[in-house]
Amino acid sequence: MRPHSSILWRRLDLEGHDACLLSEADDGWKLRGHALFVHDGKPCSLAYEADCGSGWRTRSARVDGFLGAETLHFEIERLADGGWTLNGAGQAEVAGLIDVDLGFTPATNLLAIRRFDLGVGMSTPAPAAYLAFPELRLMRLEQSYRRLDDTRYGYDAPMFGYNAILEVSPAGFVLDYPGLWQSAARLE
């Protein structure tokens, strides 16, 4: 593994932070991070990883940590036939999707941004296998990206009524996720 870039975000809607490292491997890419925040007055600590092939297609993800006094452990796998599993159980709702989106961190937006590699003025639907938080279940997230210029994307997630302009770093990390996350430091 060769470290590529890293970022620290400050959460805007709750007390919290998230730090993430993007590394390159011989056969793809890996995101590793740790989100620490307060949820419903309880401390939450979630270490996460997402593993992708060289074309930025998700292979697997995992989340370990706690919410309050509850221990959490989730293994997500995208199968060769396009199916997904969560802790070994099939997830029919997200079959055929390519990207994972961990709902408690902005890190996984990088996966779709890098995979689609949109030119300025281009847009695309980008449905993802979304790990909802705090429910921690996989569900289909309809979302879309529209590249506005070298550093900005229009982002739309109708399920949440969220539509915003995301500022993105050259590595693909979201720097400004209006109302939710903002970069506090980065190394690229």
Side-chain angles (χ1 to χ4, degrees):
M1 297 284 282
R2 295 175 299 284
H4 181 277
S5 50
S6 61
I7 191 165
L8 172 69
W9 291 282
R10 180 173 53 90
R11 190 150 179 180
L12 302 176
D13 61 333
L14 301 168
E15 182 69 30
H17 287 86
D18 185 349
C20 184
L21 174 67
L22 173 63
S23 297
E24 187 175 5
D26 291 336
D27 65 343
W29 297 88
K30 184 172 285 218
L31 284 174
R32 286 183 310 158
H34 201 121
L36 300 165
F37 54 93
V38 176
H39 183 78
D40 287 340
K42 299 179 221 169
C44 186
S45 171
L46 299 172
Y48 60 88
E49 289 184 4
D51 181 51
C52 296
S54 59
W56 295 96
R57 293 173 171 271
T58 300
R59 292 190 284 225
S60 64
R62 72 181 275 152
V63 177
D64 288 292
F66 63 87
L67 173 58
E70 180 184 358
T71 301
L72 305 172
H73 173 77
F74 293 90
E75 296 274 346
I76 300 166
E77 186 176 0
R78 187 171 69 82
L79 306 173
D81 68 0
W84 290 78
T85 62
L86 177 61
N87 289 345
Q91 302 292 302
E93 183 179 348
V94 296
L97 299 177
I98 295 170
D99 301 312
V100 71
D101 187 321
L102 302 178
F104 56 85
T105 176
T108 49
N109 289 84
L110 176 141
L111 304 178
I113 288 169
R114 293 291 295 261
R115 186 169 69 80
F116 286 110
D117 192 23
L118 297 173
V120 173
M122 295 177 66
S123 63
T124 188
Y130 178 76
L131 183 65
F133 183 86
E135 302 90 357
L136 294 166
R137 66 181 183 90
L138 279 181
M139 56 192 295
R140 184 182 181 94
L141 172 64
E142 297 295 341
Q143 59 184 357
S144 64
Y145 292 90
R146 182 179 69 259
R147 188 157 191 186
L148 304 174
D149 56 34
D150 287 344
T151 62
R152 296 179 314 130
Y153 287 77
Y155 174 74
D156 189 33
M159 180 169 72
F160 300 114
Y162 190 82
N163 184 297
I165 305 297
L166 307 180
E167 183 182 342
V168 177
S169 77
F173 285 120
V174 175
L175 300 175
D176 183 19
Y177 209 129
L180 298 173
W181 296 92
Q182 187 167 45
S183 171
R186 76 178 202 262
L187 178 64
E188 293 189 37

